[in-house]
Amino acid sequence: MTAWRRLGGKADNAGMGHRLDEVSAPARLAEPEEGISQEELALAARNHGMPLEALRYDVTPPGLHYVLTHYDIPYVPEGAWELVVGGGVRRPLVLGMDELRAYPAVTRRVTLECAGNGRALLTPRPVSQPWLVEAVGTAEWTGVPLRVLLTEAGVEPGAVDVVFTGADHGVERGVEQDYQRALALDVAMGGEPEVLVAYEMNGGPLPPQHGHPVRLVVPGWYGMAHVKWLREIRVTDTSFTGFQQAVAYRLRRDAGDEGEPVTRIAPRALLIPPGFPDFMSRTRVVRPGAVTLEGRAWSGRAPVTGVEVSTDAERSWCAADLDGGDEHRWAWRPWRFAWTATPGPHVLSARAVDAEGHTQPLDQPWNRGGFANNLVQRVPVLCLDSEGAG
Amino acid sequence: MTAWRRLGGKADNAGMGHRLDEVSAPARLAEPEEGISQEELALAARNHGMPLEALRYDVTPPGLHYVLTHYDIPYVPEGAWELVVGGGVRRPLVLGMDELRAYPAVTRRVTLECAGNGRALLTPRPVSQPWLVEAVGTAEWTGVPLRVLLTEAGVEPGAVDVVFTGADHGVERGVEQDYQRALALDVAMGGEPEVLVAYEMNGGPLPPQHGHPVRLVVPGWYGMAHVKWLREIRVTDTSFTGFQQAVAYRLRRDAGDEGEPVTRIAPRALLIPPGFPDFMSRTRVVRPGAVTLEGRAWSGRAPVTGVEVSTDAERSWCAADLDGGDEHRWAWRPWRFAWTATPGPHVLSARAVDAEGHTQPLDQPWNRGGFANNLVQRVPVLCLDSEGAG
């Protein structure tokens, strides 16, 4: 590992003045032809995507939902947990689990996607968590609407942002920090989407890696907004300029750009790779004949209104059958398409369109952080010659 | 992706005669300085290790236990599942879930480790699932002892192996297959360890990725023996020579060697990386003063009898305090060590020794598959200059 070599090589070098920049380097892009580094692999080994065959489930089973944690997963026993609602409010709140559970609870089915999904397929590749396309999942989140807590606390005039602090602590690009993100007051108080302070996932306590005991859920927004291990909600009368808001999670062409903030999830359709895989290449194998292609589609910007499928490497597109209605606005919708496989190699793709006309590009939408990239999925499939071939 | 480029580049090339070797290449070693490939990354994105901070838990919470699936996770509803116990038996059995649950159940706490754990740290690197050191986890498995089922079926004289077939199907090194592994009859009928046909993990149904609805659990053996999505148990009067037994999971220096089979878990100690991490380098940061180092140690060969810790890049070693007794013979034991951190870079390591004297090497135990490699863990840590530094 790079870090091991860097530190290991000067382990005799104590007492020289030691600062965070020894372990924390600036963001960078991979060189052309540079393979995935050991540092990127260390992230990929602890975080994980959702194996795409799990697209079959309306609600992703425990352990299959994607996970990204910036630092360590903190250990926060329920008995030791308190949530402070403070800053520019008339009546600050300090809530334990029992107090939080005493509020009327709501449950929402929400599809959550990492802002960096697809990053490792970009050219050049931003060096960070190296997602392919699997950083997604859908869960039923139960908790208290954030606006209920803020209303009870009484937001003072002049409030601008609401800042959320998690119990996770680490260093990033030289900055030591607790993970913090903010929402503008109107988003935090909004009803569609309604932001949740959630303490259950799929009917049980949150698993440690999903924010136990309490996290934020911001339907329709990329994952960075859903602060896990939530311990403070603070109303401010200035715009929040913390690292995860002003430095990370911005759409920039060049390192010096101010950039635009990453917010809502761009539309995406994914298909369950058909047939069966080769262990190492992960290429799919099918036999000639009827193959039902199925998948899911979602958008955090507006409801998904259509999915198109291509079975000829994006030369032509046909409409898929889209199921699911308005019951779960913030969750993915299932779709289905009948394909007749013929011997030879094929490339399958799907793309979603939403009610505001947003769709998915065929050329990569590149930015320096590799965020909000919804390039269409491409699934190579080999159809064997006959039923018995292979 | 390599596969995408390979197939995409000849998508017009249909009807030429299509065979599995188009998608399935022989095993290989990475070139010197070759980064992790997109194919290895595709495996790392769907499988995952246990984040090492989860070593704090006696029993690994759901979703944090390591997962490796060779092919897709099959969808096997309980109602559609049947287990056949057949081959060289006097009374073949066909069991549904209700019949299986009617047998007296036992629960065992078992630490499970992937045979390829540590592979991506080897030089040269065998190209396969690129594990660092996190491919481990501990669960409480509930099910029926295999020997109870085999006794009821009545094993015929001359039996040699018991072959286990899962519902997972794919291609590997050109061979299309259902995942299959065998145990010698004496191991399958043994009492220590007692092999389980398990249908609960930590008191609930098996999650899809851990073998739902039924899997094999072979305490003390590497993960490849614990066949998931189990649907057939077959007694044979010849040695099993299937792919996962005779080709994969063998300790070989060279591709042509017959090799030795991978069997029981070699001893290993891992420590919870102290302090907090840098997001990208994953290097640990601590402040000067007392730091408690904690971790777990296990061996599938014999009970762990000691753990030693080095805080000076393996120049010297001191005994750690080892907890836990004989209650859970097949689970990891916790250990603890008091360290005083001083400013500067450090490298921390731990190593386990078991009752048969097996321990962990400081130089890599290399084989062509990267199996059963228990090289000591090395954790680089930077101690800052003072309480307030950084």
Side-chain angles (χ1 to χ4, degrees), chain A residues 143-156:
Chain A
V144 182
L146 173 63
R147 56 182 175 167
V148 169
L149 298 182
L150 290 174
T151 299
E152 176 163 333
V155 175
E156 291 189 329

Side-chain angles (χ1 to χ4, degrees), chain A residues 24 72 176 278 284 287, chain B residues 24 72 176 278 284 287:
Chain A
S24 197
D72 286 0
E176 186 177 340
D278 177 64
R284 311 299 306 191
R287 295 209 154 78
Chain B
S24 197
D72 286 0
E176 185 177 341
D278 177 65
R284 312 300 304 191
R287 294 207 155 81

